[in-house]
Amino acid sequence: MAEFSWDVRSPLERALVAGPYGAQRNAGVALTEIRNFDLVQVMARRGKAGEMIAAAKARFGVAAPETPKAIGTSDVSLIWSGPDQFLLLSKGGKHSIEALAPVFAGSASLSDQSHARALISVSGDKARAMLAKLSSIDLHPSVLGVGAAAATSMDHTSVTLWRGGDRNGQAVFNLLVFATFAESLWHTILDSAAEYGVTIGYSEDLA
C-alpha cells in the first residue's frame, strides 16, 4: 500500500513576496503572515455554554469571550466568533485539538482549523485607512479598541478581525481568513495599501 506524506504549505506561499511594495517612501502599512499556529473552533453544545466558559477559565485562567472581543494570555488567545463559540489560537504545538478534547469533553464540540485559515497581521500608521477601504465596520479606536473583535467581511470575503496590542505606538489588526480565499484577499489588500507603501513579510511569532 502506498504511503502518503503531507507537505504543509502556507496558502499565501505563491502570493507573498517579502520586501517593499507600492509607493517608494516610508511604508505606511506592514503586512505579516503569521505561520505555524494551532487554531481550534470551540462550539458550545446545546445548553452547555456556561460549562464551556467555565472549562476555558479552569484551563487558561480567563473565561471564554461572550461578546465580540479577543482575550489573550501568555500563550493563547480566545477570540469570539459568534454566539456560544470562540476560536482558540496558540503557537503551533501548544494547545492542539488532541490536548483540548478532554478539557471541553461534554461541554463543547471542537474543530481543528489550523490549516484551514490564514492569519494576517496588519499594522502601520496607515493600516486603519487601508482597512477602511475594504471593511464596513467602524475602525476608530473609540469603537474598535484593543481586544475588540468582529466576524465581518472584506471585499465580500468572510474574516474574523480583532485588534491586537499596539506595536511601536501603532494599532495592530489581525485577520483570519479561510485558506481558499486567502490569496485573493491578499492581492486585494496589497492593491488597497499600495498608495501608502507596504512592507511584506512572514513570522512564526503570534505576539
Side-chain angles (χ1 to χ4, degrees), residues 111-150:
S111 174
D112 191 345
Q113 298 290 306
S114 304
H115 303 301
R117 311 279 183 107
L119 175 56
I120 302 168
S121 173
V122 185
S123 59
D125 61 357
K126 296 298 183 181
R128 186 177 285 105
M130 183 276 290
L131 290 172
K133 297 180 183 181
L134 306 175
S135 174
S136 61
I137 65 173
D138 192 342
L139 299 169
H140 192 275
S142 65
V143 177
L144 198 78
V146 174

Side-chain angles (χ1 to χ4, degrees), residues 62-160:
V62 293
E66 299 180 71
T67 57
K69 62 182 179 180
I71 302 170
T73 71
S74 60
D75 64 351
V76 69
S77 293
L78 286 66
I79 307 151
W80 180 91
S81 60
D84 299 334
Q85 59 183 287
F86 65 96
L87 291 160
L88 203 153
L89 175 68
S90 63
K91 178 73 174 175
K94 283 278 189 176
H95 299 287
S96 66
I97 191 169
E98 292 80 10
L100 293 172
V103 176
F104 294 101
S107 68
S109 298
L110 308 181
S111 174
D112 191 345
Q113 298 290 306
S114 304
H115 303 301
R117 311 279 183 107
L119 175 56
I120 302 168
S121 173
V122 185
S123 59
D125 61 357
K126 296 298 183 181
R128 186 177 285 105
M130 183 276 290
L131 290 172
K133 297 180 183 181
L134 306 175
S135 174
S136 61
I137 65 173
D138 192 342
L139 299 169
H140 192 275
S142 65
V143 177
L144 198 78
V146 174
T152 184
S153 65
M154 290 188 170
D155 193 40
H156 309 290
T157 301
S158 296
V159 299
T160 299

Side-chain angles (χ1 to χ4, degrees), residues 8 34 40 51 60 75 83 86 94 119 133 148 176 194:
V8 178
I34 309 301
V40 178
E51 293 182 25
F60 305 111
D75 64 351
F86 65 96
K94 283 278 189 176
L119 175 56
K133 297 180 183 181
L176 275 170

